[in-house]
Amino acid sequence: MDETKPAKVTPARATISDVARHAGVSIGTVSRVLNKARNVKPALQRRVLDAAAALDYRPDSFAQGMRSKKTHVIGVIVPDLRNPLSSEAAAGVEEELTQQGYSFFLANSRYERGREENILNEFARRRVDGIIAILAHDQDPRTVEQLRRLPMPVVLLEREIGAEFDAVRTDQVQGTYRATRYLAALGHRRIALITVPTDNMSGRYRLQGYTEALADVGVAANPDLIHMAGYTRDYAVNAAYSVLSMRNKPTALIVSGGMLPGVLDAMRQLNLSIPDELSLVVLGDTELAALTRPGITAIRYDWAQTGRVAARLTISRIGGSETPPERVIVPYEFILRESCQELVGAV
């Protein structure tokens, strides 16, 4: 006896015609309601939406994109997904785009210029509606020229290129200035800085805030205490080990959040304690900074908010906004923990 079970029949997907019949309206009316046209009476709108819900109707986004020449997809490029800036900003972008009915491609350039170029070209080939970019090197003329050639709007996140592109960033100058002045107020004058290179905005603005703060207390920046030549944990370990092994080593250190693990590793190797032998401030609060004992004083940047703002600005440009390029600065927050102490005998 054949006991083979009959094949399961998948119910046909509801169409816009089915919704129109169920609601007792024309296809055009359904289309206007689903596209949020303003000239639809509330009662009629409710009837159509109830019908769509009852039938579990889902618009064919691909077909809609073909008709409107829009894909409802945004390309997002970041330099390092392990870095809190990249991961938190991407989360903010995702939150806002999802609420607005957009999807996104997320790509990691790994701070490689060639890889970044290929990603931007691939976004253009896939006809994304817009691009949000945390560029690896925002001063590279090849990158600038490539962005100018793109046919879709580009919003820079935590980067700036002249005044021709929209840009959303945190206040790196004032954040680093505040960290440096805080340490100076505790009597520290030999304050080291370990952060990203100056070929992107974060490095340039952090160096500016650091040198301005030192100048305001009558101290010239010492090149031997400034390490800004890499991005990785290994770089941070080597930079911290080098500067903390100096005969006249610094009494305080300011470090990027993504490099904090490397700095703590170097301190462990040198058997240095916080804050008795070194006061420490991190630029960009992280879970590690909060959970380490003692907790690390931090300049907290709301990178998730920068992502949300960048997403809203991108959607506005896709919608045809022609206002001049915007500059949005998201403020920082000073988080006081236990990693700094007054320098004994400081004048």
Side-chain angles (χ1 to χ4, degrees):
M1 181 176 179
D2 187 1
E3 297 182 355
T4 302
K5 294 182 179 180
K8 185 178 180 180
V9 179
T10 301
R13 179 174 176 172
T15 67
I16 193 170
S17 298
D18 296 330
V19 176
R21 280 194 296 271
H22 195 281
V25 299
S26 69
I27 293 175
T29 298
V30 175
S31 179
R32 292 203 310 279
V33 170
L34 297 179
N35 286 298
K36 300 180 181 179
R38 297 180 180 179
N39 60 339
V40 180
K41 295 180 180 179
L44 187 57
Q45 181 184 53
R46 184 74 267 158
R47 201 161 88 212
V48 170
L49 293 177
D50 287 346
L55 297 173
D56 194 25
Y57 173 70
R58 299 175 186 176
D60 188 333
S61 59
F62 177 78
Q64 287 181 325
M66 291 294 289
R67 289 191 295 271
S68 67
K69 296 185 179 179
K70 284 186 169 55
T71 60
H72 283 83
V73 176
I74 305 297
V76 181
I77 180 171
V78 301
D80 183 0
L81 279 170
R82 296 168 299 180
N83 187 291
L85 161 59
S86 295
S87 58
E88 293 175 22
V93 168
E94 178 184 28
E95 178 184 333
E96 185 65 28
L97 291 182
T98 300
Q99 291 179 0
Q100 299 293 335
Y102 280 79
S103 301
F104 72 104
F105 296 133
L106 177 61
N108 186 12
S109 73
R110 302 174 189 166
Y111 287 104
E112 298 173 13
R113 161 61 196 156
R115 184 177 175 85
E116 186 171 79
E117 179 180 9
N118 291 337
I119 290 169
L120 291 172
N121 286 336
E122 182 65 13
F123 284 166
R125 189 186 70 81
R126 290 175 177 261
R127 297 174 58 198
V128 297
D129 292 340
I131 293 174
I132 298 171
I134 307 177
L135 299 170
H137 312 289
D138 62 6
Q139 297 296 288
D140 190 318
R142 296 169 298 173
T143 299
V144 176
E145 184 56 34
Q146 185 179 15
L147 293 179
R148 287 172 178 155
R149 293 197 307 267
L150 290 171
M152 67 283 294
V154 175
V155 174
L156 302 178
L157 204 163
E158 207 62 10
R159 301 290 185 263
E160 283 185 347
I161 299 177
E164 58 187 301
F165 295 99
D166 292 306
V168 182
R169 66 175 178 85
T170 53
D171 198 343
Q172 297 281 350
V173 175
Q174 290 303 313
T176 310
Y177 182 95
R178 174 72 182 276
T180 310
R181 285 300 300 264
Y182 170 69
L183 291 168
L186 293 175
H188 298 277
R189 292 298 181 267
R190 289 187 60 78
I191 303 170
L193 175 68
I194 299 177
T195 188
V196 298
T198 56
D199 60 359
N200 73 53
M201 186 214 76
S202 295
R204 293 191 300 277
Y205 282 173
R206 287 172 181 173
L207 181 60
Q208 178 184 335
Y210 169 80
T211 55
E212 287 180 355
L214 288 177
D216 285 350
V217 295
V219 176
N222 184 344
D224 293 338
L225 299 180
I226 300 172
H227 290 257
M228 304 177 66
Y231 299 92
T232 65
R233 176 189 176 125
D234 287 345
Y235 170 76
V237 172
N238 293 332
Y241 196 96
S242 174
V243 76
L244 296 176
S245 298
M246 297 172 65
R247 178 169 303 202
N248 186 17
K249 62 178 177 287
T251 59
L253 171 63
I254 300 171
V255 61
S256 298
M259 295 184 179
L260 179 61
V263 167
L264 294 177
D265 191 2
M267 292 185 65
R268 178 187 57 78
Q269 294 178 41
L270 293 167
N271 199 30
L272 294 176
S273 63
I274 302 170
D276 295 334
E277 296 173 282
L278 183 75
S279 290
L280 185 62
V281 178
V282 64
L283 301 175
D285 199 13
T286 64
E287 287 188 7
L288 178 60
L291 296 175
T292 296
R293 290 294 174 264
I296 310 299
T297 292
I299 300 297
R300 177 178 292 167
Y301 297 116
D302 193 346
W303 283 312
Q305 177 64 6
T306 66
R308 288 187 286 267
V309 173
R312 287 196 290 269
L313 188 50
T314 304
I315 293 171
S316 173
R317 293 302 185 194
I318 294 168
S321 172
E322 296 181 355
T323 58
E326 294 190 28
R327 291 285 180 275
V328 181
I329 301 177
V330 177
Y332 70 88
E333 183 180 0
F334 182 78
I335 307 299
L336 181 62
R337 296 193 178 107
E338 306 85 32
S339 62
C340 302
Q341 70 178 17
E342 188 172 0
L343 187 63
V344 177
V347 178

